[in-house]
Amino acid sequence: MSTSFSNLSSEPRHPMPMGDAHTTAGHPEQVRRVLRNTYALLAMTLVFSAGVAVATLTLQLPAPGLVLTLAGYFGLLFAVFKLQNSAWALPAVFALTGFMGYTLGPLLTHSLALPGGTQTVALALAATGATFLALSSYVLLTRRDFSFMGGFLFVGMVIALLCGIAAMVFEMPALGLAVSAMVALLSAGLILFETSRIVGGGETNYVMATVSLYVSVFNLFTSLLSLFGVGGSSD
């Protein structure tokens, strides 16, 4: 399970020096530019991550383990944060999303081995895509401000991370199932939160916006995969 805490601040960041530096935060043209760049980069990272996951699945590569997963995730996330305004920002983003795709491969292997595994993966993928499109469209159409959710989402993700680690270490399936449900709800909230920040001009760095949305989509998919997998394994 991977969670992101890097984008819950309600304060706007400095924009990327790629044409946004002389615009006013919240300007319609800037918002459109950030949205366009964010969704374009998000699409590319999702395709790249899926490709890495499929390669990991095909080659039957082993799972990196809890410690390496957390170290790799937070280490690469920190690198993206530090390099967000440099030419190395995009390579860092693809390194992070590629690593997360690698961690997804063993999970897909396990899910596909369950009864009805193919249907479970397809259902989780479809539900994730539909949820993301619905929530993003809602914010884009209504322009509602969800920035007030930042503190709640941050605390919720911290609790979910700690509970998720405890469920893995102490082998508590029931707790793991509860964490998956919690992460799915928090991920949906993060999609609303980050999209709202972009629309409102609070997020002007499309690299950081992409990472936040990618992690939310990733966590939503893996959580739904775990939840649907429980139903499939009991058939």
Side-chain angles (χ1 to χ4, degrees):
M1 178 188 67
S2 301
T3 52
S4 173
F5 314 124
S6 64
N7 297 317
L8 297 181
S9 171
S10 60
E11 298 179 359
R13 298 184 184 85
H14 297 293
M16 290 287 288
M18 298 180 182
D20 292 339
H22 301 292
T23 57
T24 303
H27 190 279
E29 180 58 33
Q30 182 194 40
V31 170
R32 285 193 292 269
R33 184 183 302 116
V34 174
L35 281 171
R36 182 173 60 251
N37 292 339
T38 297
Y39 286 134
L41 183 57
L42 179 62
M44 288 187 287
T45 54
L46 288 173
V47 170
F48 176 69
S49 183
V52 174
V54 170
T56 304
L57 173 65
T58 303
L59 297 173
Q60 295 293 298
L61 298 179
L66 177 62
V67 175
L68 183 57
T69 297
L70 292 176
Y73 170 71
F74 284 109
L76 289 169
L77 187 64
F78 178 77
V80 172
F81 180 78
K82 296 296 291 185
L83 298 170
Q84 61 180 284
N85 293 316
S86 75
W88 291 98
L90 294 182
V93 170
F94 280 98
L96 171 63
T97 56
F99 176 77
M100 294 179 72
Y102 169 73
T103 64
L104 183 60
L107 178 59
L108 291 175
T109 300
H110 172 73
S111 298
L112 291 172
L114 296 173
T118 302
Q119 292 84 349
T120 297
V121 173
L123 180 59
L125 185 61
T128 299
T131 300
F132 177 77
L133 291 176
L135 295 176
S136 298
S137 299
Y138 177 75
V139 176
L140 293 174
L141 292 174
T142 65
R143 305 283 172 166
R144 286 196 58 181
D145 181 12
F146 290 93
S147 60
F148 65 91
M149 298 172 61
F152 168 78
L153 293 171
F154 177 82
V155 173
M157 279 300 186
V158 170
I159 295 175
L161 176 63
L162 295 177
C163 290
I165 293 175
M168 294 179 64
V169 172
F170 298 106
E171 299 182 353
M172 303 170 64
L175 178 59
L177 182 62
V179 170
S180 293
M182 181 179 181
V183 170
L185 291 174
L186 290 171
S187 297
L190 281 167
I191 293 172
L192 291 172
F193 172 82
E194 188 60 33
T195 306
S196 172
R197 275 172 49 80
I198 298 172
V199 172
E203 178 59 272
T204 56
N205 188 312
Y206 71 85
V207 168
M208 298 307 298
T210 298
V211 169
S212 179
L213 289 175
Y214 172 89
V215 171
S216 299
V217 171
F218 181 93
N219 284 336
L220 179 60
F221 173 70
T222 55
S223 298
L224 292 177
L225 193 60
S226 298
L227 293 171
F228 296 160
V230 171
S233 63
S234 63
D235 293 340

